[in-house]
Amino acid sequence: MTDARPPGADEATFIAAARSGDPARFALITERHRRELLVHCYRMLANYEDAQDLTQETFLRAWHKRESFQGHATPRTWLYRIATNACLDFLDKRDNRTPVPSGLPDSELPYLQPYPDRMLPEDPQDAAVARETIELAFIVAVQHLPPRQRAVFILRDVLGWAAPKTAEALDLTVASVTSALQRARVTMRTQLPGRRLDWRSPATHELSSDERGVVQSYIDAHQRNDLDALTSLLRDDLRFAMLPDPGTVTTTAKDAVDGWISGGLFQPGHDDWRGIATTVNRMPAAALYLRTPGHPEHRLFAIALLHIVDGTIAELTGFDATGTPWLDLPPAL
């Protein structure tokens, strides 16, 4: 696999580490790529725990294949190729990693997990982690692509790889890559109507003051048990999902709140809330803590990822946060 550039110091250092036979030295030089490879695997799989496993699998495969690295590509390119094919091998063996009908025009992903912002690459200018390509809507949309088409789309339109480089990474022809990318773009336009589809142009990273204000108001409404204030924050065509429970719904603000109440929330014993404003998947999010009778602390209950449009919540995706230590949230307040 080749890049259109002469070998440099990085390649020489990498070759020396590979030839040394010292696993600690090799691990040290490959570890610097962990975060970006983790993001790449997450885009391919939409599941943080699976992405962690496949990132580790990438490093194991790299160690076993270290003699094949000749410096014709950068170490980064070589590792991305290994990671992509590890994810494709994983998807080839799994029959539960495709979207399932939800009763709405689109589908849902019961295996979707949130991605902690603290594990994103540290370079805020890195186009590979532009906010638009790590948000839940994008991650879900990508899952509607067949695995190899998904890989082509991510390598070409997200990472900006040239067609020949992508073809070589996936053992495809350039014509096959071009065709797969055209089909993928059509699907993405269908899945993300009205959203930006040029992933290589400058992208946003920071939350707006509007978004930060809505998250705090959402938390305050919980802490005061102010259901009218909570209802007023929700759009009347709210899209709501609580994963891993099935059933994404489009509902009115009032019906959404009424449904939460009928499920026991905001009732005596389930009405003592605290919250932390945070970001997950580069999206505004609220970590909600509930103190139930007999417990002295507020314990982590759920995390709500919010898509905010014109000062109101248009989409709310909730996750059970009790089994997500990777989010690095306090277990109790």
mmCIF file of all heavy atoms in Angstrom, residues 40-79:
data_model
loop_
_atom_site.group_PDB
_atom_site.id
_atom_site.type_symbol
_atom_site.label_atom_id
_atom_site.label_comp_id
_atom_site.label_asym_id
_atom_site.label_seq_id
_atom_site.Cartn_x
_atom_site.Cartn_y
_atom_site.Cartn_z
ATOM 1 N N HIS A 40 -12.561 5.789 14.259
ATOM 2 C CA HIS A 40 -12.808 5.129 12.969
ATOM 3 C C HIS A 40 -13.614 3.842 13.161
ATOM 4 O O HIS A 40 -14.599 3.602 12.446
ATOM 5 C CB HIS A 40 -11.466 4.823 12.304
ATOM 6 C CG HIS A 40 -11.587 4.164 10.974
ATOM 7 N ND1 HIS A 40 -12.251 4.738 9.904
ATOM 8 C CD2 HIS A 40 -11.127 2.952 10.527
ATOM 9 C CE1 HIS A 40 -12.195 3.926 8.864
ATOM 10 N NE2 HIS A 40 -11.520 2.831 9.209
ATOM 11 N N CYS A 41 -13.217 3.021 14.117
ATOM 12 C CA CYS A 41 -13.947 1.774 14.380
ATOM 13 C C CYS A 41 -15.359 2.067 14.880
ATOM 14 O O CYS A 41 -16.313 1.344 14.546
ATOM 15 C CB CYS A 41 -13.186 0.918 15.387
ATOM 16 S SG CYS A 41 -11.617 0.250 14.767
ATOM 17 N N TYR A 42 -15.507 3.124 15.656
ATOM 18 C CA TYR A 42 -16.846 3.483 16.145
ATOM 19 C C TYR A 42 -17.756 3.886 14.989
ATOM 20 O O TYR A 42 -18.928 3.497 14.945
ATOM 21 C CB TYR A 42 -16.729 4.627 17.149
ATOM 22 C CG TYR A 42 -18.061 5.148 17.657
ATOM 23 C CD1 TYR A 42 -18.832 4.399 18.545
ATOM 24 C CD2 TYR A 42 -18.547 6.384 17.247
ATOM 25 C CE1 TYR A 42 -20.054 4.877 19.011
ATOM 26 C CE2 TYR A 42 -19.760 6.868 17.709
ATOM 27 C CZ TYR A 42 -20.512 6.112 18.584
ATOM 28 O OH TYR A 42 -21.722 6.585 19.044
ATOM 29 N N ARG A 43 -17.235 4.657 14.038
ATOM 30 C CA ARG A 43 -18.059 5.007 12.879
ATOM 31 C C ARG A 43 -18.470 3.754 12.105
ATOM 32 O O ARG A 43 -19.578 3.661 11.596
ATOM 33 C CB ARG A 43 -17.302 5.955 11.952
ATOM 34 C CG ARG A 43 -17.210 7.384 12.461
ATOM 35 C CD ARG A 43 -16.891 8.335 11.320
ATOM 36 N NE ARG A 43 -16.651 9.674 11.831
ATOM 37 C CZ ARG A 43 -15.443 10.180 12.079
ATOM 38 N NH1 ARG A 43 -14.362 9.446 11.848
ATOM 39 N NH2 ARG A 43 -15.302 11.412 12.531
ATOM 40 N N MET A 44 -17.576 2.809 12.016
ATOM 41 C CA MET A 44 -17.882 1.578 11.296
ATOM 42 C C MET A 44 -18.925 0.743 12.035
ATOM 43 O O MET A 44 -19.747 0.059 11.406
ATOM 44 C CB MET A 44 -16.610 0.752 11.102
ATOM 45 C CG MET A 44 -15.638 1.299 10.063
ATOM 46 S SD MET A 44 -16.232 1.126 8.363
ATOM 47 C CE MET A 44 -16.316 -0.662 8.189
ATOM 48 N N LEU A 45 -18.928 0.777 13.373
ATOM 49 C CA LEU A 45 -19.694 -0.187 14.166
ATOM 50 C C LEU A 45 -20.815 0.420 15.006
ATOM 51 O O LEU A 45 -21.720 -0.309 15.432
ATOM 52 C CB LEU A 45 -18.746 -0.958 15.096
ATOM 53 C CG LEU A 45 -17.562 -1.655 14.410
ATOM 54 C CD1 LEU A 45 -16.636 -2.256 15.454
ATOM 55 C CD2 LEU A 45 -18.047 -2.719 13.443
ATOM 56 N N ALA A 46 -20.745 1.729 15.319
ATOM 57 C CA ALA A 46 -21.763 2.443 16.107
ATOM 58 C C ALA A 46 -21.872 1.940 17.545
ATOM 59 O O ALA A 46 -22.849 2.220 18.220
ATOM 60 C CB ALA A 46 -23.134 2.371 15.428
ATOM 61 N N ASN A 47 -20.870 1.214 18.001
ATOM 62 C CA ASN A 47 -20.907 0.649 19.351
ATOM 63 C C ASN A 47 -19.537 0.878 19.984
ATOM 64 O O ASN A 47 -18.520 0.398 19.456
ATOM 65 C CB ASN A 47 -21.248 -0.839 19.280
ATOM 66 C CG ASN A 47 -21.353 -1.486 20.654
ATOM 67 O OD1 ASN A 47 -20.340 -1.785 21.281
ATOM 68 N ND2 ASN A 47 -22.572 -1.717 21.108
ATOM 69 N N TYR A 48 -19.494 1.593 21.098
ATOM 70 C CA TYR A 48 -18.215 1.981 21.680
ATOM 71 C C TYR A 48 -17.428 0.772 22.187
ATOM 72 O O TYR A 48 -16.211 0.695 21.981
ATOM 73 C CB TYR A 48 -18.436 2.976 22.822
ATOM 74 C CG TYR A 48 -17.146 3.504 23.397
ATOM 75 C CD1 TYR A 48 -16.398 4.445 22.707
ATOM 76 C CD2 TYR A 48 -16.663 3.043 24.613
ATOM 77 C CE1 TYR A 48 -15.200 4.923 23.213
ATOM 78 C CE2 TYR A 48 -15.457 3.511 25.132
ATOM 79 C CZ TYR A 48 -14.736 4.456 24.421
ATOM 80 O OH TYR A 48 -13.550 4.914 24.933
ATOM 81 N N GLU A 49 -18.100 -0.158 22.832
ATOM 82 C CA GLU A 49 -17.389 -1.323 23.359
ATOM 83 C C GLU A 49 -16.808 -2.172 22.233
ATOM 84 O O GLU A 49 -15.673 -2.658 22.325
ATOM 85 C CB GLU A 49 -18.323 -2.140 24.249
ATOM 86 C CG GLU A 49 -18.664 -1.430 25.556
ATOM 87 C CD GLU A 49 -19.711 -2.164 26.361
ATOM 88 O OE1 GLU A 49 -20.798 -2.455 25.804
ATOM 89 O OE2 GLU A 49 -19.462 -2.448 27.546
ATOM 90 N N ASP A 50 -17.577 -2.362 21.160
ATOM 91 C CA ASP A 50 -17.050 -3.093 20.005
ATOM 92 C C ASP A 50 -15.871 -2.341 19.386
ATOM 93 O O ASP A 50 -14.872 -2.960 18.962
ATOM 94 C CB ASP A 50 -18.142 -3.288 18.946
ATOM 95 C CG ASP A 50 -19.204 -4.284 19.371
ATOM 96 O OD1 ASP A 50 -18.930 -5.093 20.278
ATOM 97 O OD2 ASP A 50 -20.304 -4.255 18.787
ATOM 98 N N ALA A 51 -15.976 -1.021 19.319
ATOM 99 C CA ALA A 51 -14.881 -0.228 18.754
ATOM 100 C C ALA A 51 -13.613 -0.374 19.583
ATOM 101 O O ALA A 51 -12.504 -0.463 19.023
ATOM 102 C CB ALA A 51 -15.293 1.244 18.663
ATOM 103 N N GLN A 52 -13.749 -0.414 20.900
ATOM 104 C CA GLN A 52 -12.575 -0.644 21.754
ATOM 105 C C GLN A 52 -11.933 -1.993 21.432
ATOM 106 O O GLN A 52 -10.707 -2.104 21.302
ATOM 107 C CB GLN A 52 -12.986 -0.604 23.230
ATOM 108 C CG GLN A 52 -13.253 0.778 23.790
ATOM 109 C CD GLN A 52 -13.574 0.726 25.261
ATOM 110 O OE1 GLN A 52 -14.463 -0.015 25.695
ATOM 111 N NE2 GLN A 52 -12.873 1.507 26.054
ATOM 112 N N ASP A 53 -12.782 -3.023 21.323
ATOM 113 C CA ASP A 53 -12.257 -4.369 21.023
ATOM 114 C C ASP A 53 -11.549 -4.400 19.680
ATOM 115 O O ASP A 53 -10.482 -5.015 19.539
ATOM 116 C CB ASP A 53 -13.397 -5.392 21.037
ATOM 117 C CG ASP A 53 -13.976 -5.627 22.429
ATOM 118 O OD1 ASP A 53 -13.315 -5.262 23.420
ATOM 119 O OD2 ASP A 53 -15.088 -6.168 22.516
ATOM 120 N N LEU A 54 -12.142 -3.768 18.663
ATOM 121 C CA LEU A 54 -11.560 -3.822 17.316
ATOM 122 C C LEU A 54 -10.310 -2.944 17.211
ATOM 123 O O LEU A 54 -9.416 -3.249 16.416
ATOM 124 C CB LEU A 54 -12.610 -3.422 16.286
ATOM 125 C CG LEU A 54 -13.433 -4.579 15.689
ATOM 126 C CD1 LEU A 54 -12.546 -5.512 14.887
ATOM 127 C CD2 LEU A 54 -14.150 -5.382 16.787
ATOM 128 N N THR A 55 -10.241 -1.900 18.006
ATOM 129 C CA THR A 55 -9.008 -1.111 18.032
ATOM 130 C C THR A 55 -7.867 -1.942 18.607
ATOM 131 O O THR A 55 -6.747 -1.949 18.084
ATOM 132 C CB THR A 55 -9.198 0.172 18.852
ATOM 133 O OG1 THR A 55 -10.267 0.944 18.284
ATOM 134 C CG2 THR A 55 -7.935 1.018 18.862
ATOM 135 N N GLN A 56 -8.173 -2.675 19.667
ATOM 136 C CA GLN A 56 -7.146 -3.550 20.230
ATOM 137 C C GLN A 56 -6.772 -4.658 19.254
ATOM 138 O O GLN A 56 -5.601 -5.012 19.118
ATOM 139 C CB GLN A 56 -7.632 -4.146 21.562
ATOM 140 C CG GLN A 56 -6.544 -4.784 22.386
ATOM 141 C CD GLN A 56 -5.439 -3.801 22.753
ATOM 142 O OE1 GLN A 56 -5.687 -2.630 23.022
ATOM 143 N NE2 GLN A 56 -4.207 -4.283 22.769
ATOM 144 N N GLU A 57 -7.770 -5.183 18.549
ATOM 145 C CA GLU A 57 -7.507 -6.189 17.521
ATOM 146 C C GLU A 57 -6.607 -5.619 16.420
ATOM 147 O O GLU A 57 -5.735 -6.319 15.881
ATOM 148 C CB GLU A 57 -8.828 -6.675 16.922
ATOM 149 C CG GLU A 57 -8.710 -7.581 15.704
ATOM 150 C CD GLU A 57 -8.113 -8.954 16.017
ATOM 151 O OE1 GLU A 57 -8.027 -9.316 17.206
ATOM 152 O OE2 GLU A 57 -7.741 -9.651 15.058
ATOM 153 N N THR A 58 -6.794 -4.347 16.103
ATOM 154 C CA THR A 58 -5.944 -3.691 15.106
ATOM 155 C C THR A 58 -4.484 -3.711 15.526
ATOM 156 O O THR A 58 -3.588 -4.031 14.730
ATOM 157 C CB THR A 58 -6.411 -2.233 14.892
ATOM 158 O OG1 THR A 58 -7.735 -2.237 14.346
ATOM 159 C CG2 THR A 58 -5.471 -1.481 13.957
ATOM 160 N N PHE A 59 -4.228 -3.384 16.788
ATOM 161 C CA PHE A 59 -2.845 -3.368 17.263
ATOM 162 C C PHE A 59 -2.246 -4.776 17.296
ATOM 163 O O PHE A 59 -1.060 -4.955 17.000
ATOM 164 C CB PHE A 59 -2.765 -2.719 18.644
ATOM 165 C CG PHE A 59 -3.020 -1.235 18.623
ATOM 166 C CD1 PHE A 59 -3.883 -0.639 19.522
ATOM 167 C CD2 PHE A 59 -2.390 -0.429 17.696
ATOM 168 C CE1 PHE A 59 -4.107 0.727 19.503
ATOM 169 C CE2 PHE A 59 -2.602 0.946 17.664
ATOM 170 C CZ PHE A 59 -3.472 1.524 18.568
ATOM 171 N N LEU A 60 -3.061 -5.763 17.631
ATOM 172 C CA LEU A 60 -2.566 -7.142 17.614
ATOM 173 C C LEU A 60 -2.221 -7.578 16.195
ATOM 174 O O LEU A 60 -1.184 -8.205 15.948
ATOM 175 C CB LEU A 60 -3.615 -8.079 18.227
ATOM 176 C CG LEU A 60 -3.835 -7.958 19.733
ATOM 177 C CD1 LEU A 60 -5.024 -8.814 20.169
ATOM 178 C CD2 LEU A 60 -2.584 -8.376 20.493
ATOM 179 N N ARG A 61 -3.113 -7.262 15.250
ATOM 180 C CA ARG A 61 -2.836 -7.615 13.857
ATOM 181 C C ARG A 61 -1.606 -6.872 13.347
ATOM 182 O O ARG A 61 -0.801 -7.437 12.586
ATOM 183 C CB ARG A 61 -4.046 -7.278 12.984
ATOM 184 C CG ARG A 61 -5.256 -8.169 13.207
ATOM 185 C CD ARG A 61 -6.320 -7.917 12.153
ATOM 186 N NE ARG A 61 -7.525 -8.696 12.388
ATOM 187 C CZ ARG A 61 -8.508 -8.860 11.503
ATOM 188 N NH1 ARG A 61 -8.402 -8.279 10.300
ATOM 189 N NH2 ARG A 61 -9.578 -9.578 11.789
ATOM 190 N N ALA A 62 -1.467 -5.614 13.731
ATOM 191 C CA ALA A 62 -0.306 -4.838 13.295
ATOM 192 C C ALA A 62 0.984 -5.478 13.795
ATOM 193 O O ALA A 62 1.979 -5.564 13.054
ATOM 194 C CB ALA A 62 -0.423 -3.404 13.797
ATOM 195 N N TRP A 63 0.979 -5.950 15.043
ATOM 196 C CA TRP A 63 2.181 -6.598 15.576
ATOM 197 C C TRP A 63 2.522 -7.858 14.791
ATOM 198 O O TRP A 63 3.666 -8.091 14.413
ATOM 199 C CB TRP A 63 1.972 -6.913 17.054
ATOM 200 C CG TRP A 63 3.040 -7.783 17.651
ATOM 201 C CD1 TRP A 63 2.929 -9.078 18.053
ATOM 202 C CD2 TRP A 63 4.415 -7.420 17.891
ATOM 203 N NE1 TRP A 63 4.122 -9.545 18.532
ATOM 204 C CE2 TRP A 63 5.062 -8.553 18.451
ATOM 205 C CE3 TRP A 63 5.153 -6.259 17.684
ATOM 206 C CZ2 TRP A 63 6.405 -8.553 18.805
ATOM 207 C CZ3 TRP A 63 6.497 -6.250 18.033
ATOM 208 C CH2 TRP A 63 7.109 -7.387 18.589
ATOM 209 N N HIS A 64 1.496 -8.664 14.516
ATOM 210 C CA HIS A 64 1.742 -9.915 13.802
ATOM 211 C C HIS A 64 2.118 -9.683 12.336
ATOM 212 O O HIS A 64 2.803 -10.531 11.734
ATOM 213 C CB HIS A 64 0.517 -10.825 13.888
ATOM 214 C CG HIS A 64 0.256 -11.354 15.271
ATOM 215 N ND1 HIS A 64 1.184 -12.070 15.981
ATOM 216 C CD2 HIS A 64 -0.841 -11.252 16.087
ATOM 217 C CE1 HIS A 64 0.696 -12.407 17.171
ATOM 218 N NE2 HIS A 64 -0.528 -11.918 17.259
ATOM 219 N N LYS A 65 1.696 -8.541 11.781
ATOM 220 C CA LYS A 65 1.994 -8.246 10.375
ATOM 221 C C LYS A 65 3.120 -7.214 10.231
ATOM 222 O O LYS A 65 3.320 -6.664 9.148
ATOM 223 C CB LYS A 65 0.736 -7.696 9.683
ATOM 224 C CG LYS A 65 -0.416 -8.685 9.591
ATOM 225 C CD LYS A 65 -1.613 -8.036 8.899
ATOM 226 C CE LYS A 65 -2.758 -9.023 8.746
ATOM 227 N NZ LYS A 65 -3.922 -8.424 8.037
ATOM 228 N N ARG A 66 3.821 -6.957 11.308
ATOM 229 C CA ARG A 66 4.790 -5.853 11.301
ATOM 230 C C ARG A 66 5.850 -5.989 10.211
ATOM 231 O O ARG A 66 6.330 -4.990 9.673
ATOM 232 C CB ARG A 66 5.442 -5.720 12.670
ATOM 233 C CG ARG A 66 6.281 -6.924 13.101
ATOM 234 C CD ARG A 66 6.636 -6.822 14.588
ATOM 235 N NE ARG A 66 7.510 -7.925 15.016
ATOM 236 C CZ ARG A 66 7.068 -9.140 15.324
ATOM 237 N NH1 ARG A 66 5.768 -9.428 15.229
ATOM 238 N NH2 ARG A 66 7.916 -10.068 15.725
ATOM 239 N N GLU A 67 6.218 -7.229 9.860
ATOM 240 C CA GLU A 67 7.249 -7.424 8.843
ATOM 241 C C GLU A 67 6.769 -6.994 7.463
ATOM 242 O O GLU A 67 7.585 -6.762 6.559
ATOM 243 C CB GLU A 67 7.671 -8.897 8.802
ATOM 244 C CG GLU A 67 8.350 -9.386 10.080
ATOM 245 C CD GLU A 67 9.699 -8.693 10.315
ATOM 246 O OE1 GLU A 67 10.323 -8.249 9.320
ATOM 247 O OE2 GLU A 67 10.115 -8.592 11.481
ATOM 248 N N SER A 68 5.441 -6.864 7.295
ATOM 249 C CA SER A 68 4.916 -6.479 5.980
ATOM 250 C C SER A 68 4.994 -4.975 5.741
ATOM 251 O O SER A 68 4.793 -4.509 4.614
ATOM 252 C CB SER A 68 3.459 -6.936 5.839
ATOM 253 O OG SER A 68 2.605 -6.192 6.698
ATOM 254 N N PHE A 69 5.277 -4.206 6.794
ATOM 255 C CA PHE A 69 5.370 -2.760 6.618
ATOM 256 C C PHE A 69 6.729 -2.407 6.015
ATOM 257 O O PHE A 69 7.771 -2.630 6.628
ATOM 258 C CB PHE A 69 5.180 -2.031 7.958
ATOM 259 C CG PHE A 69 5.196 -0.531 7.816
ATOM 260 C CD1 PHE A 69 4.074 0.142 7.383
ATOM 261 C CD2 PHE A 69 6.352 0.196 8.087
ATOM 262 C CE1 PHE A 69 4.088 1.526 7.227
ATOM 263 C CE2 PHE A 69 6.384 1.572 7.927
ATOM 264 C CZ PHE A 69 5.245 2.238 7.503
ATOM 265 N N GLN A 70 6.692 -1.826 4.824
ATOM 266 C CA GLN A 70 7.923 -1.529 4.098
ATOM 267 C C GLN A 70 8.178 -0.029 3.958
ATOM 268 O O GLN A 70 9.141 0.384 3.305
ATOM 269 C CB GLN A 70 7.864 -2.156 2.699
ATOM 270 C CG GLN A 70 7.687 -3.659 2.713
ATOM 271 C CD GLN A 70 8.867 -4.380 3.351
ATOM 272 O OE1 GLN A 70 10.018 -3.964 3.188
ATOM 273 N NE2 GLN A 70 8.595 -5.451 4.084
ATOM 274 N N GLY A 71 7.296 0.796 4.520
ATOM 275 C CA GLY A 71 7.482 2.237 4.420
ATOM 276 C C GLY A 71 6.922 2.853 3.163
ATOM 277 O O GLY A 71 7.158 4.035 2.889
ATOM 278 N N HIS A 72 6.172 2.074 2.362
ATOM 279 C CA HIS A 72 5.565 2.620 1.149
ATOM 280 C C HIS A 72 4.326 3.453 1.474
ATOM 281 O O HIS A 72 3.859 4.229 0.648
ATOM 282 C CB HIS A 72 5.184 1.493 0.189
ATOM 283 C CG HIS A 72 6.345 0.621 -0.195
ATOM 284 N ND1 HIS A 72 7.519 1.135 -0.698
ATOM 285 C CD2 HIS A 72 6.521 -0.726 -0.123
ATOM 286 C CE1 HIS A 72 8.362 0.158 -0.933
ATOM 287 N NE2 HIS A 72 7.785 -0.989 -0.588
ATOM 288 N N ALA A 73 3.772 3.283 2.659
ATOM 289 C CA ALA A 73 2.663 4.096 3.165
ATOM 290 C C ALA A 73 3.077 4.621 4.525
ATOM 291 O O ALA A 73 4.016 4.124 5.141
ATOM 292 C CB ALA A 73 1.390 3.255 3.278
ATOM 293 N N THR A 74 2.372 5.628 4.992
ATOM 294 C CA THR A 74 2.655 6.105 6.341
ATOM 295 C C THR A 74 2.171 5.061 7.340
ATOM 296 O O THR A 74 1.255 4.270 7.046
ATOM 297 C CB THR A 74 1.931 7.427 6.626
ATOM 298 O OG1 THR A 74 0.508 7.194 6.605
ATOM 299 C CG2 THR A 74 2.293 8.491 5.599
ATOM 300 N N PRO A 75 2.733 5.020 8.540
ATOM 301 C CA PRO A 75 2.211 4.112 9.571
ATOM 302 C C PRO A 75 0.727 4.331 9.825
ATOM 303 O O PRO A 75 -0.026 3.376 10.030
ATOM 304 C CB PRO A 75 3.056 4.471 10.797
ATOM 305 C CG PRO A 75 4.334 5.005 10.238
ATOM 306 C CD PRO A 75 3.945 5.728 8.991
ATOM 307 N N ARG A 76 0.293 5.582 9.793
ATOM 308 C CA ARG A 76 -1.126 5.900 10.017
ATOM 309 C C ARG A 76 -2.009 5.237 8.958
ATOM 310 O O ARG A 76 -3.019 4.607 9.278
ATOM 311 C CB ARG A 76 -1.307 7.412 9.999
ATOM 312 C CG ARG A 76 -2.739 7.897 10.234
ATOM 313 C CD ARG A 76 -2.756 9.430 10.267
ATOM 314 N NE ARG A 76 -4.079 9.941 10.572
ATOM 315 C CZ ARG A 76 -4.955 10.307 9.636
ATOM 316 N NH1 ARG A 76 -4.649 10.189 8.352
ATOM 317 N NH2 ARG A 76 -6.138 10.786 9.988
ATOM 318 N N THR A 77 -1.621 5.368 7.683
ATOM 319 C CA THR A 77 -2.387 4.753 6.605
ATOM 320 C C THR A 77 -2.423 3.234 6.767
ATOM 321 O O THR A 77 -3.476 2.597 6.598
ATOM 322 C CB THR A 77 -1.768 5.121 5.247
ATOM 323 O OG1 THR A 77 -1.884 6.533 5.046
ATOM 324 C CG2 THR A 77 -2.459 4.393 4.106
ATOM 325 N N TRP A 78 -1.287 2.661 7.084
ATOM 326 C CA TRP A 78 -1.194 1.210 7.261
ATOM 327 C C TRP A 78 -2.098 0.735 8.386
ATOM 328 O O TRP A 78 -2.810 -0.267 8.255
ATOM 329 C CB TRP A 78 0.268 0.866 7.552
ATOM 330 C CG TRP A 78 0.605 -0.587 7.600
ATOM 331 C CD1 TRP A 78 0.625 -1.479 6.563
ATOM 332 C CD2 TRP A 78 1.019 -1.326 8.760
ATOM 333 N NE1 TRP A 78 1.029 -2.719 7.000
ATOM 334 C CE2 TRP A 78 1.273 -2.656 8.349
ATOM 335 C CE3 TRP A 78 1.206 -0.988 10.099
ATOM 336 C CZ2 TRP A 78 1.700 -3.644 9.232
ATOM 337 C CZ3 TRP A 78 1.642 -1.968 10.980
ATOM 338 C CH2 TRP A 78 1.878 -3.283 10.552
ATOM 339 N N LEU A 79 -2.131 1.467 9.492
ATOM 340 C CA LEU A 79 -2.977 1.090 10.629
ATOM 341 C C LEU A 79 -4.460 1.256 10.298
ATOM 342 O O LEU A 79 -5.298 0.441 10.701
ATOM 343 C CB LEU A 79 -2.606 1.911 11.857
ATOM 344 C CG LEU A 79 -1.257 1.570 12.494
ATOM 345 C CD1 LEU A 79 -0.868 2.624 13.530
ATOM 346 C CD2 LEU A 79 -1.299 0.186 13.135
#
